[in-house]
Amino acid sequence: MGPGKADLLDAIVRHGRLAAAARELEMSYMRAWKLVQLLNRSFRGPLVATERGGSGHGKATLTALGVRVLRLYRGMETSSLAAMDADWKALRRMIERG
């Protein structure tokens, strides 16, 4: 799990379709599909449920596990950024010129 996969899961939530999520992230449908397959194999259960296309163009939704994983990952990101805030500001002061 990383920022790109989390972004894909967020885009799936917004659009409800894998193709639309892939377009938003400027990645091929095949790349998005491969990432979903990898995510679904990597956890104890699938993170994304899909329905094949056709006239309804198919659907993609997060499972309950997918929602939980995404929420935990985003929480880790937020906590990490907060933990490094002071050090980041100190480092930026060393880079910036007056």
Side-chain angles (χ1 to χ4, degrees):
M1 188 68 185
K5 292 180 183 90
D7 290 346
L8 178 59
L9 294 179
D10 276 329
I12 289 169
V13 169
R14 280 191 297 280
H15 296 285
R17 294 183 44 233
L18 188 56
R23 264 193 307 279
E24 176 187 319
L25 298 174
E26 298 180 353
M27 72 172 61
S28 71
Y29 176 84
M30 185 55 68
R31 175 76 177 136
W33 176 240
K34 294 289 185 185
L35 289 173
V36 165
Q37 289 177 319
L38 177 64
L39 285 166
N40 283 349
R41 284 193 313 268
S42 297
F43 287 85
R44 291 184 180 202
L47 303 189
V48 178
T50 58
E51 293 180 24
R52 288 192 65 101
S55 62
H57 300 290
K59 293 180 183 177
T61 57
L62 298 193
T63 63
L65 179 60
V67 169
R68 185 154 188 251
V69 165
L70 181 58
R71 188 174 299 135
L72 285 169
Y73 181 82
R74 291 303 190 200
M76 289 169 39
E77 279 183 325
T78 300
S79 297
S80 296
L81 290 171
M84 67 181 209
D85 187 57
D87 290 338
W88 176 242
K89 286 176 182 173
L91 182 63
R92 283 183 36 210
R93 283 192 299 272
M94 292 177 202
I95 296 169
E96 294 172 357
R97 296 179 186 255

